[in-house]
Amino acid sequence: CGSDRFIRKGYDSNGIIRYRSSCGKTFKPTTGTIFDSRKIPVSEWIEYCLNIFRYISLNADSWNNRNAISTSKYWLEKLFLTLENTQNSIVLSGTVWLDETYYALVMRERQKDENGHHLRGLSRNQICIGVATDKKHTICFVEGFGKPSQKSSYNTFKDHIAPGSTLIHDKEKTHKKLVEKLSLNSITYSSAELKGLADSENPLNPVNRIHCLLKMFLNAHSGFSRDDLQSYLNLYSFVINPPYDHLEKVEEIIKMVFENPKSLKYREQFGLNT
C-alpha cells in the first residue's frame, strides 16, 4: 500500500519475520521478490546458481538436487528475470576485441527450402551473436538471423563501446559504421591471415576464446527455445564477468533481488489457471 507504518507480526513457517502494514496486510522481506512464496530452502537455490555457473545442465542439476525438472526451469526463469538488464550498463574501453559467432536453431524450428531441405550457411537457421570484450568485461547480444548489417552492428554496440577506443576485428565491412560513428581506432585482420595460427599468436584470440566458452555454456542447455537466447546470453555475461568467485556472484544476485524486486509466480510461468 506504500505506507511506512508497520509492526512486526511474528514469523512464517520458515522462520522469516512477518510484518503488518497500517492497511492490515502482512508482508515479509521476500514479498514481491523472486523468493516470494518459495517452498524450497534458499540454500538449495544458491547451490542451483553455483551449478549453473559451472555449466551444469538443468537435467543434471535436477538429478543432483532431486528436484523436478520443472523446478529447475522455474528457477532459471527467475535468474533470467533478475539478470535481464545487467548488460545495459557495461561500456567497454581501451582495446576492444569484437567478432560475431553463430548458433543454430533447434531442428524443429529450422526453415526448409522448396525441396524440403534445411537451409544451409548463414541463413535464417543461424542466429548471429555479437561478442565484444576489453579483457575486463564482456558483452554478448543477439544481432538477428544470418550475417549482420552495418546498421544492426552499430545499434547493438554503440552504447557499449567508449568513443575513441581501439577496435580489433576482422576485415568484414559489418563494423564500418560503428568505427566511423564512435571514432574508433580500427585494427583489422582477414580470415586468411589468421588461418592456422596458434591461439597464442591469433590477435582475435581474446574474443575467439569467449566464443568457445559461450558455445560450451549454450550446449549444456542445447534444447532450449531460441526465443530465450538473449536471456541465456545475459546469464553467460554475468557468469564470465567479475566478480570471478562464484559465491561472490551469488551474493551479487541476492543484492539485485532485493534492490530491484521482481516476482514470478509458478502458475504464471507454466500457464496454470488453478
PDB file of all heavy atoms in Angstrom, residues 99-103 127-131 139-144 146 157 211 214-215 218 229 233:
ATOM      1  N   ASP A  99      33.808  -9.628 -32.454  1.00  0.00           N
ATOM      2  CA  ASP A  99      33.568 -10.579 -33.543  1.00  0.00           C
ATOM      3  C   ASP A  99      32.216 -11.232 -33.328  1.00  0.00           C
ATOM      4  O   ASP A  99      31.692 -11.268 -32.214  1.00  0.00           O
ATOM      5  CB  ASP A  99      34.665 -11.645 -33.587  1.00  0.00           C
ATOM      6  CG  ASP A  99      34.721 -12.379 -34.927  1.00  0.00           C
ATOM      7  OD1 ASP A  99      34.053 -11.927 -35.884  1.00  0.00           O
ATOM      8  OD2 ASP A  99      35.433 -13.396 -35.022  1.00  0.00           O
ATOM      9  N   GLU A 100      31.660 -11.768 -34.405  1.00  0.00           N
ATOM     10  CA  GLU A 100      30.377 -12.463 -34.343  1.00  0.00           C
ATOM     11  C   GLU A 100      30.580 -13.973 -34.385  1.00  0.00           C
ATOM     12  O   GLU A 100      31.553 -14.472 -34.958  1.00  0.00           O
ATOM     13  CB  GLU A 100      29.486 -12.059 -35.517  1.00  0.00           C
ATOM     14  CG  GLU A 100      28.874 -10.676 -35.402  1.00  0.00           C
ATOM     15  CD  GLU A 100      29.856  -9.571 -35.730  1.00  0.00           C
ATOM     16  OE1 GLU A 100      30.797  -9.809 -36.526  1.00  0.00           O
ATOM     17  OE2 GLU A 100      29.699  -8.464 -35.188  1.00  0.00           O
ATOM     18  N   THR A 101      29.661 -14.668 -33.766  1.00  0.00           N
ATOM     19  CA  THR A 101      29.587 -16.117 -33.893  1.00  0.00           C
ATOM     20  C   THR A 101      28.137 -16.476 -34.172  1.00  0.00           C
ATOM     21  O   THR A 101      27.254 -15.623 -34.115  1.00  0.00           O
ATOM     22  CB  THR A 101      30.110 -16.823 -32.621  1.00  0.00           C
ATOM     23  OG1 THR A 101      30.215 -18.236 -32.868  1.00  0.00           O
ATOM     24  CG2 THR A 101      29.188 -16.594 -31.428  1.00  0.00           C
ATOM     25  N   TYR A 102      27.870 -17.745 -34.462  1.00  0.00           N
ATOM     26  CA  TYR A 102      26.519 -18.144 -34.877  1.00  0.00           C
ATOM     27  C   TYR A 102      26.079 -19.371 -34.099  1.00  0.00           C
ATOM     28  O   TYR A 102      26.878 -20.242 -33.757  1.00  0.00           O
ATOM     29  CB  TYR A 102      26.495 -18.417 -36.387  1.00  0.00           C
ATOM     30  CG  TYR A 102      26.796 -17.183 -37.197  1.00  0.00           C
ATOM     31  CD1 TYR A 102      28.120 -16.839 -37.493  1.00  0.00           C
ATOM     32  CD2 TYR A 102      25.786 -16.320 -37.615  1.00  0.00           C
ATOM     33  CE1 TYR A 102      28.417 -15.685 -38.193  1.00  0.00           C
ATOM     34  CE2 TYR A 102      26.076 -15.166 -38.326  1.00  0.00           C
ATOM     35  CZ  TYR A 102      27.391 -14.851 -38.603  1.00  0.00           C
ATOM     36  OH  TYR A 102      27.680 -13.701 -39.286  1.00  0.00           O
ATOM     37  N   TYR A 103      24.780 -19.413 -33.814  1.00  0.00           N
ATOM     38  CA  TYR A 103      24.206 -20.546 -33.091  1.00  0.00           C
ATOM     39  C   TYR A 103      22.948 -20.990 -33.821  1.00  0.00           C
ATOM     40  O   TYR A 103      22.078 -20.164 -34.145  1.00  0.00           O
ATOM     41  CB  TYR A 103      23.875 -20.149 -31.653  1.00  0.00           C
ATOM     42  CG  TYR A 103      23.803 -21.325 -30.710  1.00  0.00           C
ATOM     43  CD1 TYR A 103      24.942 -22.088 -30.448  1.00  0.00           C
ATOM     44  CD2 TYR A 103      22.618 -21.677 -30.086  1.00  0.00           C
ATOM     45  CE1 TYR A 103      24.893 -23.168 -29.585  1.00  0.00           C
ATOM     46  CE2 TYR A 103      22.560 -22.751 -29.219  1.00  0.00           C
ATOM     47  CZ  TYR A 103      23.700 -23.495 -28.972  1.00  0.00           C
ATOM     48  OH  TYR A 103      23.657 -24.572 -28.129  1.00  0.00           O
ATOM     49  N   ILE A 127      21.522 -18.028 -35.908  1.00  0.00           N
ATOM     50  CA  ILE A 127      21.356 -16.767 -35.180  1.00  0.00           C
ATOM     51  C   ILE A 127      22.724 -16.153 -34.934  1.00  0.00           C
ATOM     52  O   ILE A 127      23.633 -16.814 -34.430  1.00  0.00           O
ATOM     53  CB  ILE A 127      20.639 -16.995 -33.843  1.00  0.00           C
ATOM     54  CG1 ILE A 127      19.291 -17.685 -34.062  1.00  0.00           C
ATOM     55  CG2 ILE A 127      20.435 -15.663 -33.108  1.00  0.00           C
ATOM     56  CD1 ILE A 127      18.589 -18.059 -32.777  1.00  0.00           C
ATOM     57  N   CYS A 128      22.862 -14.884 -35.306  1.00  0.00           N
ATOM     58  CA  CYS A 128      24.127 -14.182 -35.109  1.00  0.00           C
ATOM     59  C   CYS A 128      24.210 -13.639 -33.684  1.00  0.00           C
ATOM     60  O   CYS A 128      23.284 -12.995 -33.192  1.00  0.00           O
ATOM     61  CB  CYS A 128      24.244 -13.036 -36.119  1.00  0.00           C
ATOM     62  SG  CYS A 128      25.749 -12.061 -35.930  1.00  0.00           S
ATOM     63  N   ILE A 129      25.354 -13.892 -33.036  1.00  0.00           N
ATOM     64  CA  ILE A 129      25.617 -13.389 -31.692  1.00  0.00           C
ATOM     65  C   ILE A 129      26.845 -12.491 -31.754  1.00  0.00           C
ATOM     66  O   ILE A 129      27.929 -12.935 -32.130  1.00  0.00           O
ATOM     67  CB  ILE A 129      25.869 -14.532 -30.691  1.00  0.00           C
ATOM     68  CG1 ILE A 129      24.667 -15.477 -30.633  1.00  0.00           C
ATOM     69  CG2 ILE A 129      26.169 -13.975 -29.302  1.00  0.00           C
ATOM     70  CD1 ILE A 129      24.924 -16.735 -29.820  1.00  0.00           C
ATOM     71  N   GLY A 130      26.676 -11.227 -31.400  1.00  0.00           N
ATOM     72  CA  GLY A 130      27.807 -10.305 -31.353  1.00  0.00           C
ATOM     73  C   GLY A 130      28.465 -10.351 -29.987  1.00  0.00           C
ATOM     74  O   GLY A 130      27.796 -10.230 -28.961  1.00  0.00           O
ATOM     75  N   VAL A 131      29.787 -10.547 -29.982  1.00  0.00           N
ATOM     76  CA  VAL A 131      30.537 -10.648 -28.729  1.00  0.00           C
ATOM     77  C   VAL A 131      31.671  -9.636 -28.747  1.00  0.00           C
ATOM     78  O   VAL A 131      32.394  -9.520 -29.741  1.00  0.00           O
ATOM     79  CB  VAL A 131      31.116 -12.072 -28.538  1.00  0.00           C
ATOM     80  CG1 VAL A 131      31.944 -12.140 -27.256  1.00  0.00           C
ATOM     81  CG2 VAL A 131      30.004 -13.103 -28.515  1.00  0.00           C
ATOM     82  N   ILE A 139      30.510  -8.509 -23.309  1.00  0.00           N
ATOM     83  CA  ILE A 139      29.088  -8.363 -23.624  1.00  0.00           C
ATOM     84  C   ILE A 139      28.734  -9.306 -24.763  1.00  0.00           C
ATOM     85  O   ILE A 139      29.552  -9.589 -25.640  1.00  0.00           O
ATOM     86  CB  ILE A 139      28.728  -6.910 -24.006  1.00  0.00           C
ATOM     87  CG1 ILE A 139      29.648  -6.393 -25.125  1.00  0.00           C
ATOM     88  CG2 ILE A 139      28.789  -6.014 -22.792  1.00  0.00           C
ATOM     89  CD1 ILE A 139      29.284  -4.996 -25.600  1.00  0.00           C
ATOM     90  N   CYS A 140      27.498  -9.807 -24.751  1.00  0.00           N
ATOM     91  CA  CYS A 140      27.012 -10.744 -25.764  1.00  0.00           C
ATOM     92  C   CYS A 140      25.566 -10.380 -26.098  1.00  0.00           C
ATOM     93  O   CYS A 140      24.721 -10.351 -25.200  1.00  0.00           O
ATOM     94  CB  CYS A 140      27.049 -12.187 -25.249  1.00  0.00           C
ATOM     95  SG  CYS A 140      28.568 -12.672 -24.418  1.00  0.00           S
ATOM     96  N   PHE A 141      25.291 -10.136 -27.380  1.00  0.00           N
ATOM     97  CA  PHE A 141      23.945  -9.757 -27.785  1.00  0.00           C
ATOM     98  C   PHE A 141      23.526 -10.463 -29.070  1.00  0.00           C
ATOM     99  O   PHE A 141      24.353 -10.669 -29.970  1.00  0.00           O
ATOM    100  CB  PHE A 141      23.854  -8.239 -28.014  1.00  0.00           C
ATOM    101  CG  PHE A 141      23.985  -7.416 -26.773  1.00  0.00           C
ATOM    102  CD1 PHE A 141      25.165  -6.759 -26.487  1.00  0.00           C
ATOM    103  CD2 PHE A 141      22.927  -7.305 -25.876  1.00  0.00           C
ATOM    104  CE1 PHE A 141      25.290  -5.983 -25.339  1.00  0.00           C
ATOM    105  CE2 PHE A 141      23.045  -6.543 -24.722  1.00  0.00           C
ATOM    106  CZ  PHE A 141      24.231  -5.878 -24.450  1.00  0.00           C
ATOM    107  N   VAL A 142      22.257 -10.825 -29.139  1.00  0.00           N
ATOM    108  CA  VAL A 142      21.687 -11.366 -30.372  1.00  0.00           C
ATOM    109  C   VAL A 142      21.589 -10.227 -31.385  1.00  0.00           C
ATOM    110  O   VAL A 142      21.077  -9.154 -31.080  1.00  0.00           O
ATOM    111  CB  VAL A 142      20.281 -11.960 -30.123  1.00  0.00           C
ATOM    112  CG1 VAL A 142      19.607 -12.305 -31.447  1.00  0.00           C
ATOM    113  CG2 VAL A 142      20.377 -13.190 -29.234  1.00  0.00           C
ATOM    114  N   GLU A 143      22.107 -10.480 -32.622  1.00  0.00           N
ATOM    115  CA  GLU A 143      22.040  -9.468 -33.681  1.00  0.00           C
ATOM    116  C   GLU A 143      21.049  -9.833 -34.777  1.00  0.00           C
ATOM    117  O   GLU A 143      20.907  -9.098 -35.741  1.00  0.00           O
ATOM    118  CB  GLU A 143      23.421  -9.258 -34.292  1.00  0.00           C
ATOM    119  CG  GLU A 143      24.417  -8.584 -33.360  1.00  0.00           C
ATOM    120  CD  GLU A 143      25.644  -8.078 -34.092  1.00  0.00           C
ATOM    121  OE1 GLU A 143      25.500  -7.200 -34.962  1.00  0.00           O
ATOM    122  OE2 GLU A 143      26.741  -8.590 -33.805  1.00  0.00           O
ATOM    123  N   GLY A 144      20.376 -10.973 -34.652  1.00  0.00           N
ATOM    124  CA  GLY A 144      19.414 -11.372 -35.668  1.00  0.00           C
ATOM    125  C   GLY A 144      19.843 -12.641 -36.377  1.00  0.00           C
ATOM    126  O   GLY A 144      20.781 -13.319 -35.964  1.00  0.00           O
ATOM    127  N   GLY A 146      21.366 -14.791 -39.580  1.00  0.00           N
ATOM    128  CA  GLY A 146      22.317 -14.638 -40.670  1.00  0.00           C
ATOM    129  C   GLY A 146      23.349 -13.556 -40.412  1.00  0.00           C
ATOM    130  O   GLY A 146      23.540 -13.087 -39.284  1.00  0.00           O
ATOM    131  N   PHE A 157      26.109  -2.283 -30.555  1.00  0.00           N
ATOM    132  CA  PHE A 157      27.294  -1.957 -29.753  1.00  0.00           C
ATOM    133  C   PHE A 157      27.519  -0.472 -29.476  1.00  0.00           C
ATOM    134  O   PHE A 157      28.418  -0.132 -28.701  1.00  0.00           O
ATOM    135  CB  PHE A 157      28.547  -2.533 -30.437  1.00  0.00           C
ATOM    136  CG  PHE A 157      28.588  -4.028 -30.474  1.00  0.00           C
ATOM    137  CD1 PHE A 157      28.343  -4.714 -31.655  1.00  0.00           C
ATOM    138  CD2 PHE A 157      28.853  -4.756 -29.327  1.00  0.00           C
ATOM    139  CE1 PHE A 157      28.383  -6.097 -31.692  1.00  0.00           C
ATOM    140  CE2 PHE A 157      28.893  -6.138 -29.357  1.00  0.00           C
ATOM    141  CZ  PHE A 157      28.649  -6.818 -30.545  1.00  0.00           C
ATOM    142  N   HIS A 211      33.960 -17.042 -27.544  1.00  0.00           N
ATOM    143  CA  HIS A 211      33.040 -17.792 -28.403  1.00  0.00           C
ATOM    144  C   HIS A 211      33.008 -19.258 -28.007  1.00  0.00           C
ATOM    145  O   HIS A 211      31.945 -19.874 -27.920  1.00  0.00           O
ATOM    146  CB  HIS A 211      33.493 -17.688 -29.870  1.00  0.00           C
ATOM    147  CG  HIS A 211      33.237 -16.356 -30.486  1.00  0.00           C
ATOM    148  ND1 HIS A 211      33.715 -16.012 -31.728  1.00  0.00           N
ATOM    149  CD2 HIS A 211      32.553 -15.273 -30.040  1.00  0.00           C
ATOM    150  CE1 HIS A 211      33.334 -14.780 -32.023  1.00  0.00           C
ATOM    151  NE2 HIS A 211      32.623 -14.317 -31.013  1.00  0.00           N
ATOM    152  N   LEU A 214      31.311 -19.748 -24.677  1.00  0.00           N
ATOM    153  CA  LEU A 214      29.874 -19.488 -24.830  1.00  0.00           C
ATOM    154  C   LEU A 214      29.167 -20.681 -25.439  1.00  0.00           C
ATOM    155  O   LEU A 214      28.076 -21.071 -24.981  1.00  0.00           O
ATOM    156  CB  LEU A 214      29.674 -18.246 -25.701  1.00  0.00           C
ATOM    157  CG  LEU A 214      28.233 -17.920 -26.118  1.00  0.00           C
ATOM    158  CD1 LEU A 214      27.355 -17.704 -24.888  1.00  0.00           C
ATOM    159  CD2 LEU A 214      28.200 -16.692 -27.016  1.00  0.00           C
ATOM    160  N   LYS A 215      29.765 -21.285 -26.469  1.00  0.00           N
ATOM    161  CA  LYS A 215      29.154 -22.467 -27.090  1.00  0.00           C
ATOM    162  C   LYS A 215      29.056 -23.611 -26.085  1.00  0.00           C
ATOM    163  O   LYS A 215      28.054 -24.346 -26.061  1.00  0.00           O
ATOM    164  CB  LYS A 215      29.974 -22.901 -28.313  1.00  0.00           C
ATOM    165  CG  LYS A 215      29.995 -21.899 -29.453  1.00  0.00           C
ATOM    166  CD  LYS A 215      28.661 -21.824 -30.152  1.00  0.00           C
ATOM    167  CE  LYS A 215      28.703 -20.859 -31.338  1.00  0.00           C
ATOM    168  NZ  LYS A 215      29.596 -21.292 -32.416  1.00  0.00           N
ATOM    169  N   LEU A 218      26.063 -22.757 -23.832  1.00  0.00           N
ATOM    170  CA  LEU A 218      24.779 -22.933 -24.508  1.00  0.00           C
ATOM    171  C   LEU A 218      24.498 -24.409 -24.782  1.00  0.00           C
ATOM    172  O   LEU A 218      23.353 -24.861 -24.674  1.00  0.00           O
ATOM    173  CB  LEU A 218      24.756 -22.145 -25.816  1.00  0.00           C
ATOM    174  CG  LEU A 218      24.805 -20.613 -25.683  1.00  0.00           C
ATOM    175  CD1 LEU A 218      24.851 -19.966 -27.063  1.00  0.00           C
ATOM    176  CD2 LEU A 218      23.618 -20.095 -24.888  1.00  0.00           C
ATOM    177  N   LEU A 229      17.227 -16.989 -26.222  1.00  0.00           N
ATOM    178  CA  LEU A 229      18.685 -16.902 -26.383  1.00  0.00           C
ATOM    179  C   LEU A 229      19.277 -15.686 -25.692  1.00  0.00           C
ATOM    180  O   LEU A 229      20.315 -15.785 -25.028  1.00  0.00           O
ATOM    181  CB  LEU A 229      19.054 -16.906 -27.871  1.00  0.00           C
ATOM    182  CG  LEU A 229      20.553 -16.832 -28.186  1.00  0.00           C
ATOM    183  CD1 LEU A 229      21.322 -17.960 -27.504  1.00  0.00           C
ATOM    184  CD2 LEU A 229      20.784 -16.870 -29.699  1.00  0.00           C
ATOM    185  N   LEU A 233      22.277 -15.364 -22.934  1.00  0.00           N
ATOM    186  CA  LEU A 233      23.465 -14.526 -23.132  1.00  0.00           C
ATOM    187  C   LEU A 233      23.657 -13.573 -21.952  1.00  0.00           C
ATOM    188  O   LEU A 233      24.797 -13.316 -21.532  1.00  0.00           O
ATOM    189  CB  LEU A 233      23.349 -13.743 -24.430  1.00  0.00           C
ATOM    190  CG  LEU A 233      23.278 -14.557 -25.720  1.00  0.00           C
ATOM    191  CD1 LEU A 233      23.239 -13.629 -26.932  1.00  0.00           C
ATOM    192  CD2 LEU A 233      24.455 -15.521 -25.840  1.00  0.00           C
TER     193      LEU A 233
END
